[in-house]
Amino acid sequence: MLDESDDIHPLFHGAPSTTEFKKLRKRIVRATREAIEHYGMIETDAHDKDAKPARWLVCLSGGKDSYTLLAVLYELKWRGLLPVDLLACNLDQGQPGFPATVLPEFLERMGVPHRIEYQDTYSIVMDKVPAGRTYCALCSRLRRGNLYRIAREEGCSAVVLGHHRDDILETFFMNLFHGGRLATMPPKLVNEEGDLFVYRPLAHVAEEDCEKFARAMNYPIIPCDLCGSQDGLQRQQVKQILDNWEKNSPGRRQVMFRALTNIRPSHMLDPKLFDFAGLTRGMGTPGNDEDDKIPRLR
C-alpha cells in the first residue's frame, strides 16, 4: 500500500486501486527518488538552518512524461522527501491549434502553483528552418532560453525537465551514430551562464512506465504537433532500433542504460580522459583483470 489517506495531493485523486498500478507507481517514485539522491539534486546548506528551500521550475508540456514528473515530485514532497518549492510552468509556443486552456484549467483544478507563458517561437522556427530540415534543434534552443528567463524571474534555482531513461539512451545513440561522440543528456548540469541547474529526475524511469502511469491517471495529454508532424527524424529511427533490440532481447534497454553509469576511461580511446602516454609497465590498468567477466546478453 502506498497510501490510504485522503491527504495525498489532488494529482493522485482517482488513482486506480489495482495491485498493478500500485506497483507501477511505487517503481516510478523509487526510481525518481534514487536519481534525485544519486545525482545530488537537492541543494542543502548545512551552515544555514534558516535558509529557504530551493525553488524548482517544473516544465510541463502536457505530454505523458511531464505529467508523470509533476505527479511524482508532488508525491515525494508530500512524503517529506523533497524539501523544495515547486512551480509548474508551461511555455505556449504558439503552435496552431494548441489547446491553450487545457493546462491552466488542469493546474488550477489540481491546486498546483503555476505560470503559463506565451511566446510565439513557432513562427520563428517555421521561418528560419529550411524546408525538409528538422525543427528540433532551433525549437529546443528557443524554448530553453525562455525557460531560463522565467526561472530567473521566479527566483528558481533549477529548471526541471521530464526526460526519462529512454530519452537519454536515444540521445546517446544519436550522438554515437550521427555526432561521432559519446555523450547524452546528463541528469544534472549547470547552464552556460552558470546560474541555474538543469535536472532530469526521471533519468532512471522507463518511458513505458510514464505512458502507463499518465494513461491510468487519465491526465489530459497534449501531443506535440510541431516535431511530431515530421517523418523520418533521426530520433525516430534510433527509437525504432532500440525497440527492435528490446523486442528481441527483453531487458536490453536497462542493460545499455546501466552501461552509461559504469564507464571505464582506461578502456576507451580518449587520451583527455586517461593518460595512455603516461602508462608504463608495472603500473597495471584499472579493471584490466575484469575484462573476461563481461556479462553477455542472451
Side-chain angles (χ1 to χ4, degrees):
M1 284 294 179
L2 278 167
D3 61 79
E4 294 291 347
S5 171
D6 292 333
D7 294 334
I8 191 71
H9 195 274
L11 282 164
F12 285 94
H13 286 177
S17 59
T18 63
T19 300
E20 181 182 5
F21 179 80
K22 290 178 180 178
K23 288 181 178 179
L24 169 68
R25 177 174 160 187
K26 186 175 182 179
R27 183 164 64 247
I28 294 174
V29 171
R30 182 174 60 244
T32 304
R33 182 185 179 187
E34 178 184 79
I36 289 173
E37 293 180 351
H38 188 72
Y39 299 106
M41 296 182 189
I42 298 177
E43 302 167 53
T44 58
D45 187 348
H47 302 290
D48 188 356
K49 296 182 179 179
D50 297 324
K52 293 182 178 179
R55 196 178 197 205
W56 289 4
L57 188 76
V58 183
C59 302
L60 195 66
S61 67
K64 64 183 187 309
D65 309 326
S66 61
Y67 278 123
T68 301
L69 172 67
L70 183 68
V72 72
L73 291 181
Y74 264 95
E75 167 129 2
L76 289 171
K77 184 176 174 64
W78 178 79
R79 295 184 182 283
L81 300 172
L82 187 65
V84 301
D85 292 332
L86 303 175
L87 177 67
C89 176
N90 172 251
L91 179 63
D92 182 345
Q93 297 180 260
Q95 298 178 32
F98 181 78
T101 62
V102 170
L103 280 170
E105 291 176 356
F106 172 80
L107 294 169
E108 286 286 349
R109 191 166 66 251
M110 296 296 109
V112 173
H114 62 277
R115 172 170 169 174
I116 306 296
E117 179 84 2
Y118 178 82
Q119 290 291 331
D120 185 9
T121 63
Y122 175 85
S123 297
I124 299 175
V125 171
M126 298 302 292
D127 179 62
K128 299 295 184 182
V129 177
R133 300 291 296 275
T134 58
Y135 308 135
C136 298
L138 179 58
C139 180
S140 62
R141 188 161 63 249
L142 293 172
R143 180 173 62 249
R144 186 166 57 247
N146 277 290
L147 292 173
Y148 288 170
R149 171 182 57 80
I150 295 168
R152 295 182 185 109
E153 292 173 357
E154 295 290 346
C156 296
S157 59
V159 172
V160 185
L161 306 175
H163 296 124
H164 45 64
R165 181 201 69 181
D166 297 71
D167 288 324
I168 292 173
L169 269 178
E170 290 163 16
T171 301
F172 172 79
F173 280 103
M174 286 177 66
N175 279 313
L176 177 66
F177 295 156
H178 304 288
R181 60 177 180 172
L182 296 181
T184 188
M185 299 183 294
K188 176 182 179 180
L189 60 84
V190 178
N191 67 337
E192 292 182 1
E193 293 79 6
D195 64 333
L196 291 169
F197 286 112
V198 177
Y199 296 149
R200 296 181 172 94
L202 298 184
H204 293 179
V205 178
E207 179 179 17
E208 182 181 16
D209 283 350
C210 293
E211 173 78 26
K212 290 178 180 178
F213 179 84
R215 295 294 182 187
M217 290 304 305
N218 200 30
Y219 292 143
I221 296 173
I222 303 171
C224 176
D225 294 326
L226 179 59
C227 56
S229 64
Q230 292 185 288
D231 295 324
L233 295 179
Q234 293 175 349
R235 185 172 290 273
Q236 292 174 350
Q237 295 169 358
V238 168
K239 185 177 181 64
Q240 186 175 15
I241 292 172
L242 295 178
D243 285 342
N244 289 335
W245 284 349
E246 184 71 22
K247 180 180 179 181
N248 293 329
S249 300
R252 184 175 290 245
R253 264 193 173 96
Q254 185 58 26
V255 172
M256 290 188 293
F257 181 80
R258 191 163 65 243
L260 295 180
T261 69
N262 186 25
I263 298 171
R264 298 181 181 178
S266 64
H267 287 57
M268 301 299 286
L269 283 76
D270 191 341
K272 296 188 296 295
L273 298 180
F274 186 80
D275 184 14
F276 293 99
L279 190 63
T280 61
R281 286 174 293 180
M283 291 178 61
T285 302
N288 207 37
D289 58 347
E290 298 183 4
D291 287 351
D292 59 350
K293 299 180 183 178
I294 300 174
R296 305 195 180 277
L297 289 170
R298 295 174 183 256

